[in-house]
Tab-separated table of all heavy atoms in Angstrom:
chain	number	residue	atom	x	y	z
A	1	VAL	N	-58.331	-18.408	4.238
A	1	VAL	CA	-59.586	-17.761	3.850
A	1	VAL	C	-60.454	-17.756	5.094
A	1	VAL	O	-60.866	-18.888	5.658
A	1	VAL	CB	-60.277	-18.602	2.758
A	1	VAL	CG1	-61.632	-17.952	2.380
A	1	VAL	CG2	-59.417	-18.580	1.553
A	2	LEU	N	-60.694	-16.625	5.643
A	2	LEU	CA	-61.440	-16.443	6.988
A	2	LEU	C	-60.869	-17.331	8.034
A	2	LEU	O	-61.562	-17.886	8.781
A	2	LEU	CB	-62.943	-16.694	6.656
A	2	LEU	CG	-63.529	-15.818	5.712
A	2	LEU	CD1	-65.073	-16.211	5.517
A	2	LEU	CD2	-63.541	-14.347	6.127
A	3	GLY	N	-59.555	-17.403	7.991
A	3	GLY	CA	-58.888	-18.286	9.060
A	3	GLY	C	-58.815	-19.782	8.781
A	3	GLY	O	-58.294	-20.429	9.718
A	4	VAL	N	-59.309	-20.168	7.750
A	4	VAL	CA	-59.391	-21.654	7.386
A	4	VAL	C	-58.407	-22.032	6.302
A	4	VAL	O	-58.595	-21.395	5.235
A	4	VAL	CB	-60.822	-22.079	7.068
A	4	VAL	CG1	-60.917	-23.612	6.836
A	4	VAL	CG2	-61.816	-21.779	8.270
A	5	LYS	N	-57.493	-22.896	6.543
A	5	LYS	CA	-56.593	-23.412	5.572
A	5	LYS	C	-57.379	-24.210	4.450
A	5	LYS	O	-58.114	-25.036	4.753
A	5	LYS	CB	-55.505	-24.320	6.110
A	5	LYS	CG	-54.662	-25.030	5.224
A	5	LYS	CD	-53.614	-24.100	4.551
A	5	LYS	CE	-52.708	-24.995	3.649
A	5	LYS	NZ	-52.597	-24.561	2.379
A	6	GLN	N	-57.050	-23.772	3.286
A	6	GLN	CA	-57.751	-24.459	2.041
A	6	GLN	C	-56.753	-25.446	1.418
A	6	GLN	O	-55.639	-25.011	1.175
A	6	GLN	CB	-58.061	-23.343	0.963
A	6	GLN	CG	-59.053	-22.224	1.506
A	6	GLN	CD	-60.358	-22.845	2.105
A	6	GLN	OE1	-61.060	-23.518	1.409
A	6	GLN	NE2	-60.617	-22.490	3.270
A	7	PRO	N	-57.014	-26.700	1.372
A	7	PRO	CA	-56.155	-27.622	0.672
A	7	PRO	C	-55.771	-27.252	-0.625
A	7	PRO	O	-56.635	-26.822	-1.540
A	7	PRO	CB	-56.979	-29.033	0.691
A	7	PRO	CG	-58.091	-28.820	1.820
A	7	PRO	CD	-58.340	-27.313	1.776
A	8	GLY	N	-54.441	-27.279	-0.994
A	8	GLY	CA	-54.080	-26.929	-2.229
A	8	GLY	C	-53.782	-25.377	-2.462
A	8	GLY	O	-53.370	-25.090	-3.578
A	9	TRP	N	-53.893	-24.757	-1.394
A	9	TRP	CA	-53.756	-23.206	-1.453
A	9	TRP	C	-52.955	-22.729	-0.357
A	9	TRP	O	-53.180	-23.169	0.780
A	9	TRP	CB	-55.137	-22.593	-1.443
A	9	TRP	CG	-55.956	-22.922	-2.684
A	9	TRP	CD1	-56.869	-24.010	-2.750
A	9	TRP	CD2	-56.243	-22.141	-3.829
A	9	TRP	NE1	-57.479	-23.958	-4.003
A	9	TRP	CE2	-57.111	-22.833	-4.716
A	9	TRP	CE3	-55.593	-20.975	-4.327
A	9	TRP	CZ2	-57.550	-22.346	-5.853
A	9	TRP	CZ3	-55.971	-20.551	-5.514
A	9	TRP	CH2	-57.000	-21.148	-6.291
A	10	ASN	N	-52.152	-21.678	-0.632
A	10	ASN	CA	-51.577	-20.771	0.435
A	10	ASN	C	-52.173	-19.452	0.179
A	10	ASN	O	-51.923	-18.953	-0.950
A	10	ASN	CB	-50.131	-20.901	0.489
A	10	ASN	CG	-49.517	-22.195	0.982
A	10	ASN	OD1	-50.115	-22.833	1.849
A	10	ASN	ND2	-48.363	-22.468	0.506
A	11	VAL	N	-52.874	-18.856	1.100
A	11	VAL	CA	-53.561	-17.604	0.923
A	11	VAL	C	-53.072	-16.564	2.001
A	11	VAL	O	-52.966	-16.927	3.135
A	11	VAL	CB	-55.086	-17.768	1.074
A	11	VAL	CG1	-55.781	-16.470	0.701
A	11	VAL	CG2	-55.512	-18.804	-0.012
A	12	CYS	N	-52.847	-15.362	1.629
A	12	CYS	CA	-52.399	-14.282	2.571
A	12	CYS	C	-53.046	-12.954	2.015
A	12	CYS	O	-52.981	-12.673	0.848
A	12	CYS	CB	-50.976	-14.153	2.673
A	12	CYS	SG	-50.467	-13.292	4.229
A	13	SER	N	-53.651	-12.186	2.978
A	13	SER	CA	-54.264	-10.951	2.615
A	13	SER	C	-53.698	-9.771	3.481
A	13	SER	O	-53.289	-10.069	4.688
A	13	SER	CB	-55.727	-11.006	2.881
A	13	SER	OG	-56.397	-11.917	2.146
A	14	TRP	N	-53.663	-8.620	2.895
A	14	TRP	CA	-53.324	-7.415	3.668
A	14	TRP	C	-54.266	-6.223	3.190
A	14	TRP	O	-54.732	-6.227	2.156
A	14	TRP	CB	-51.897	-6.928	3.349
A	14	TRP	CG	-50.851	-8.040	3.659
A	14	TRP	CD1	-50.159	-8.126	4.765
A	14	TRP	CD2	-50.393	-9.150	2.698
A	14	TRP	NE1	-49.250	-9.239	4.650
A	14	TRP	CE2	-49.420	-9.836	3.450
A	14	TRP	CE3	-50.734	-9.550	1.489
A	14	TRP	CZ2	-48.762	-10.959	2.832
A	14	TRP	CZ3	-50.085	-10.543	0.872
A	14	TRP	CH2	-49.187	-11.294	1.532
A	15	SER	N	-54.409	-5.328	4.132
A	15	SER	CA	-55.177	-4.095	3.847
A	15	SER	C	-54.351	-2.916	3.682
A	15	SER	O	-53.284	-2.770	4.376
A	15	SER	CB	-56.160	-3.902	4.999
A	15	SER	OG	-57.108	-4.928	5.099
A	16	GLY	N	-54.871	-1.914	2.844
A	16	GLY	CA	-54.175	-0.689	2.581
A	16	GLY	C	-55.323	0.450	2.740
A	16	GLY	O	-56.509	0.028	3.008
A	17	SER	N	-54.774	1.620	2.582
A	17	SER	CA	-55.784	2.707	2.736
A	17	SER	C	-56.729	2.776	1.584
A	17	SER	O	-57.897	3.222	1.765
A	17	SER	CB	-55.004	3.976	3.049
A	17	SER	OG	-54.136	4.327	1.825
A	18	GLN	N	-56.312	2.415	0.447
A	18	GLN	CA	-57.139	2.466	-0.810
A	18	GLN	C	-57.681	1.127	-1.181
A	18	GLN	O	-58.841	1.150	-1.819
A	18	GLN	CB	-56.300	3.093	-1.942
A	18	GLN	CG	-55.775	4.460	-1.617
A	18	GLN	CD	-56.800	5.467	-1.376
A	18	GLN	OE1	-57.752	5.568	-2.221
A	18	GLN	NE2	-56.726	6.158	-0.426
A	19	HIS	N	-57.008	0.103	-1.003
A	19	HIS	CA	-57.503	-1.224	-1.492
A	19	HIS	C	-56.853	-2.363	-0.666
A	19	HIS	O	-55.939	-2.107	0.173
A	19	HIS	CB	-57.090	-1.461	-2.899
A	19	HIS	CG	-55.607	-1.326	-3.138
A	19	HIS	ND1	-55.048	-0.142	-3.527
A	19	HIS	CD2	-54.658	-2.207	-3.124
A	19	HIS	CE1	-53.737	-0.339	-3.649
A	19	HIS	NE2	-53.498	-1.558	-3.375
A	20	ASP	N	-57.363	-3.464	-0.888
A	20	ASP	CA	-56.873	-4.769	-0.164
A	20	ASP	C	-56.047	-5.645	-1.094
A	20	ASP	O	-56.353	-5.542	-2.374
A	20	ASP	CB	-57.978	-5.607	0.452
A	20	ASP	CG	-58.771	-4.832	1.562
A	20	ASP	OD1	-58.051	-3.894	2.245
A	20	ASP	OD2	-59.941	-5.107	1.750
A	21	LEU	N	-55.059	-6.316	-0.644
A	21	LEU	CA	-54.303	-7.270	-1.486
A	21	LEU	C	-54.413	-8.697	-0.892
A	21	LEU	O	-54.203	-8.853	0.316
A	21	LEU	CB	-52.806	-6.798	-1.525
A	21	LEU	CG	-51.814	-7.801	-2.048
A	21	LEU	CD1	-51.961	-8.063	-3.507
A	21	LEU	CD2	-50.344	-7.301	-1.645
A	22	THR	N	-54.680	-9.655	-1.809
A	22	THR	CA	-54.670	-10.935	-1.445
A	22	THR	C	-53.758	-11.736	-2.414
A	22	THR	O	-53.987	-11.569	-3.616
A	22	THR	CB	-56.148	-11.656	-1.381
A	22	THR	OG1	-56.927	-10.933	-0.522
A	22	THR	CG2	-56.082	-13.087	-0.975
A	23	VAL	N	-52.902	-12.578	-1.992
A	23	VAL	CA	-52.106	-13.377	-2.800
A	23	VAL	C	-52.432	-14.774	-2.562
A	23	VAL	O	-52.360	-15.332	-1.376
A	23	VAL	CB	-50.529	-13.109	-2.532
A	23	VAL	CG1	-49.713	-13.920	-3.481
A	23	VAL	CG2	-50.277	-11.706	-2.820
A	24	PHE	N	-52.727	-15.516	-3.589
A	24	PHE	CA	-53.153	-16.983	-3.626
A	24	PHE	C	-52.039	-17.813	-4.210
A	24	PHE	O	-51.709	-17.470	-5.416
A	24	PHE	CB	-54.397	-17.229	-4.341
A	24	PHE	CG	-55.691	-16.524	-3.916
A	24	PHE	CD1	-55.867	-15.215	-4.225
A	24	PHE	CD2	-56.545	-17.114	-3.116
A	24	PHE	CE1	-57.033	-14.486	-3.960
A	24	PHE	CE2	-57.731	-16.432	-2.680
A	24	PHE	CZ	-57.915	-15.171	-3.098
A	25	ALA	N	-51.453	-18.719	-3.650
A	25	ALA	CA	-50.461	-19.683	-4.182
A	25	ALA	C	-51.155	-20.931	-4.296
A	25	ALA	O	-51.874	-21.398	-3.327
A	25	ALA	CB	-49.203	-19.769	-3.564
A	26	THR	N	-51.144	-21.681	-5.520
A	26	THR	CA	-51.954	-22.933	-5.658
A	26	THR	C	-51.261	-23.790	-6.613
A	26	THR	O	-50.341	-23.375	-7.478
A	26	THR	CB	-53.356	-22.562	-6.349
A	26	THR	OG1	-54.058	-23.797	-6.401
A	26	THR	CG2	-53.302	-21.887	-7.560
A	27	THR	N	-51.530	-25.048	-6.560
A	27	THR	CA	-51.076	-26.066	-7.590
A	27	THR	C	-51.903	-26.049	-8.864
A	27	THR	O	-51.636	-26.717	-9.744
A	27	THR	CB	-50.980	-27.384	-6.922
A	27	THR	OG1	-52.336	-27.753	-6.537
A	27	THR	CG2	-50.134	-27.402	-5.740
A	28	TYR	N	-53.042	-25.360	-8.870
A	28	TYR	CA	-53.814	-25.260	-10.093
A	28	TYR	C	-53.085	-24.428	-11.070
A	28	TYR	O	-52.177	-23.590	-10.660
A	28	TYR	CB	-55.195	-24.697	-9.752
A	28	TYR	CG	-56.022	-25.605	-8.922
A	28	TYR	CD1	-56.225	-25.398	-7.641
A	28	TYR	CD2	-56.655	-26.740	-9.573
A	28	TYR	CE1	-56.979	-26.224	-6.926
A	28	TYR	CE2	-57.467	-27.499	-8.764
A	28	TYR	CZ	-57.548	-27.272	-7.421
A	28	TYR	OH	-58.274	-28.162	-6.739
A	29	THR	N	-53.493	-24.533	-12.315
A	29	THR	CA	-52.641	-23.843	-13.419
A	29	THR	C	-53.371	-22.679	-14.007
A	29	THR	O	-54.528	-22.442	-13.780
A	29	THR	CB	-52.393	-24.873	-14.558
A	29	THR	OG1	-53.667	-25.117	-15.198
A	29	THR	CG2	-51.756	-26.147	-14.083
A	30	LEU	N	-52.739	-21.933	-14.863
A	30	LEU	CA	-53.418	-20.896	-15.644
A	30	LEU	C	-54.450	-21.338	-16.492
A	30	LEU	O	-55.564	-20.719	-16.636
A	30	LEU	CB	-52.373	-20.160	-16.459
A	30	LEU	CG	-51.369	-19.115	-15.849
A	30	LEU	CD1	-50.502	-18.479	-16.866
A	30	LEU	CD2	-52.078	-18.149	-14.903
A	31	ASP	N	-54.299	-22.568	-16.968
A	31	ASP	CA	-55.491	-23.178	-17.744
A	31	ASP	C	-56.661	-23.338	-16.916
A	31	ASP	O	-57.759	-23.150	-17.374
A	31	ASP	CB	-55.037	-24.388	-18.472
A	31	ASP	CG	-54.140	-24.285	-19.645
A	31	ASP	OD1	-54.048	-23.086	-20.168
A	31	ASP	OD2	-53.366	-25.170	-19.884
A	32	ASP	N	-56.484	-23.756	-15.614
A	32	ASP	CA	-57.663	-23.894	-14.789
A	32	ASP	C	-58.254	-22.530	-14.506
A	32	ASP	O	-59.593	-22.501	-14.400
A	32	ASP	CB	-57.215	-24.512	-13.357
A	32	ASP	CG	-56.599	-25.858	-13.463
A	32	ASP	OD1	-57.120	-26.628	-14.300
A	32	ASP	OD2	-55.747	-26.228	-12.756
A	33	VAL	N	-57.500	-21.520	-14.381
A	33	VAL	CA	-57.973	-20.246	-14.182
A	33	VAL	C	-58.844	-19.728	-15.261
A	33	VAL	O	-59.993	-19.299	-15.212
A	33	VAL	CB	-56.897	-19.160	-13.845
A	33	VAL	CG1	-57.441	-17.619	-13.809
A	33	VAL	CG2	-56.166	-19.437	-12.475
A	34	ARG	N	-58.196	-19.900	-16.478
A	34	ARG	CA	-58.976	-19.568	-17.834
A	34	ARG	C	-60.304	-20.278	-17.944
A	34	ARG	O	-61.199	-19.811	-18.453
A	34	ARG	CB	-58.080	-19.790	-19.027
A	34	ARG	CG	-57.011	-18.792	-19.190
A	34	ARG	CD	-56.317	-18.992	-20.544
A	34	ARG	NE	-55.088	-18.301	-20.476
A	34	ARG	CZ	-53.901	-18.860	-20.277
A	34	ARG	NH1	-53.763	-20.108	-20.016
A	34	ARG	NH2	-52.797	-18.136	-20.383
A	35	SER	N	-60.210	-21.576	-17.580
A	35	SER	CA	-61.436	-22.425	-17.837
A	35	SER	C	-62.547	-22.295	-16.776
A	35	SER	O	-63.585	-22.726	-16.917
A	35	SER	CB	-61.126	-23.848	-17.986
A	35	SER	OG	-60.547	-24.308	-16.807
A	36	ASN	N	-62.247	-21.622	-15.792
A	36	ASN	CA	-63.228	-21.300	-14.571
A	36	ASN	C	-64.314	-20.434	-15.116
A	36	ASN	O	-64.053	-19.293	-15.450
A	36	ASN	CB	-62.541	-20.767	-13.414
A	36	ASN	CG	-63.539	-20.704	-12.248
A	36	ASN	OD1	-64.716	-20.438	-12.362
A	36	ASN	ND2	-62.906	-20.800	-11.018
A	37	LYS	N	-65.584	-20.930	-15.205
A	37	LYS	CA	-66.708	-20.089	-15.785
A	37	LYS	C	-66.968	-18.798	-14.898
A	37	LYS	O	-67.805	-17.923	-15.348
A	37	LYS	CB	-67.930	-21.000	-15.850
A	37	LYS	CG	-68.444	-21.488	-14.519
A	37	LYS	CD	-69.652	-22.338	-14.719
A	37	LYS	CE	-70.153	-22.784	-13.323
A	37	LYS	NZ	-71.337	-23.517	-13.378
A	38	ASN	N	-66.445	-18.783	-13.712
A	38	ASN	CA	-66.626	-17.622	-12.832
A	38	ASN	C	-65.684	-16.409	-13.165
A	38	ASN	O	-65.798	-15.364	-12.536
A	38	ASN	CB	-66.515	-17.982	-11.423
A	38	ASN	CG	-67.534	-18.892	-10.987
A	38	ASN	OD1	-68.754	-18.818	-11.225
A	38	ASN	ND2	-67.101	-20.046	-10.225
A	39	ASN	N	-64.864	-16.612	-14.173
A	39	ASN	CA	-63.870	-15.648	-14.495
A	39	ASN	C	-64.078	-15.130	-15.896
A	39	ASN	O	-64.637	-15.810	-16.728
A	39	ASN	CB	-62.388	-16.151	-14.432
A	39	ASN	CG	-61.973	-16.588	-13.045
A	39	ASN	OD1	-62.566	-16.087	-12.047
A	39	ASN	ND2	-61.209	-17.574	-12.970
A	40	GLU	N	-63.810	-13.769	-16.188
A	40	GLU	CA	-63.977	-13.342	-17.562
A	40	GLU	C	-62.988	-12.199	-17.722
A	40	GLU	O	-62.222	-11.849	-16.888
A	40	GLU	CB	-65.432	-12.658	-17.646
A	40	GLU	CG	-65.780	-11.516	-16.693
A	40	GLU	CD	-67.075	-10.949	-16.940
A	40	GLU	OE1	-67.856	-11.618	-17.680
A	40	GLU	OE2	-67.498	-10.074	-16.077
A	41	GLU	N	-63.041	-11.571	-19.000
A	41	GLU	CA	-62.139	-10.397	-19.368
A	41	GLU	C	-60.681	-10.729	-19.187
A	41	GLU	O	-59.926	-9.992	-18.696
A	41	GLU	CB	-62.526	-9.184	-18.594
A	41	GLU	CG	-63.937	-8.677	-18.858
A	41	GLU	CD	-64.154	-7.358	-18.120
A	41	GLU	OE1	-63.245	-6.594	-17.877
A	41	GLU	OE2	-65.499	-7.127	-17.876
A	42	PHE	N	-60.221	-11.888	-19.798
A	42	PHE	CA	-58.847	-12.286	-19.755
A	42	PHE	C	-57.967	-11.461	-20.633
A	42	PHE	O	-58.326	-11.281	-21.855
A	42	PHE	CB	-58.754	-13.806	-20.143
A	42	PHE	CG	-59.444	-14.630	-19.278
A	42	PHE	CD1	-60.732	-15.236	-19.645
A	42	PHE	CD2	-58.962	-14.993	-17.967
A	42	PHE	CE1	-61.364	-16.031	-18.752
A	42	PHE	CE2	-59.642	-15.935	-17.222
A	42	PHE	CZ	-60.913	-16.381	-17.579
A	43	ILE	N	-56.970	-10.861	-20.191
A	43	ILE	CA	-56.029	-10.085	-20.871
A	43	ILE	C	-54.533	-10.583	-20.668
A	43	ILE	O	-54.108	-10.642	-19.515
A	43	ILE	CB	-56.117	-8.640	-20.518
A	43	ILE	CG1	-57.531	-8.044	-20.726
A	43	ILE	CG2	-55.017	-7.781	-21.245
A	43	ILE	CD1	-57.670	-6.733	-20.126
A	44	PRO	N	-53.960	-11.104	-21.745
A	44	PRO	CA	-52.586	-11.526	-21.583
A	44	PRO	C	-51.642	-10.428	-21.191
A	44	PRO	O	-51.838	-9.226	-21.595
A	44	PRO	CB	-52.179	-12.133	-22.960
A	44	PRO	CG	-53.389	-11.872	-23.807
A	44	PRO	CD	-54.426	-11.051	-23.046
A	45	LEU	N	-50.675	-10.715	-20.327
A	45	LEU	CA	-49.748	-9.665	-19.794
A	45	LEU	C	-48.374	-10.002	-20.119
A	45	LEU	O	-48.024	-11.246	-20.069
A	45	LEU	CB	-49.984	-9.447	-18.261
A	45	LEU	CG	-51.419	-9.032	-17.823
A	45	LEU	CD1	-51.337	-9.054	-16.255
A	45	LEU	CD2	-51.519	-7.601	-18.315
């Protein structure tokens, strides 16, 4: 993230002509993602 390693995360980003892609790998779980108050509009896939 802006060139700084985040403990517990592996992050990589790429740019495209229409959009950017970032892939985050973490030891946190889907339950952690769901319970984060900064996230909304959860849709099961």
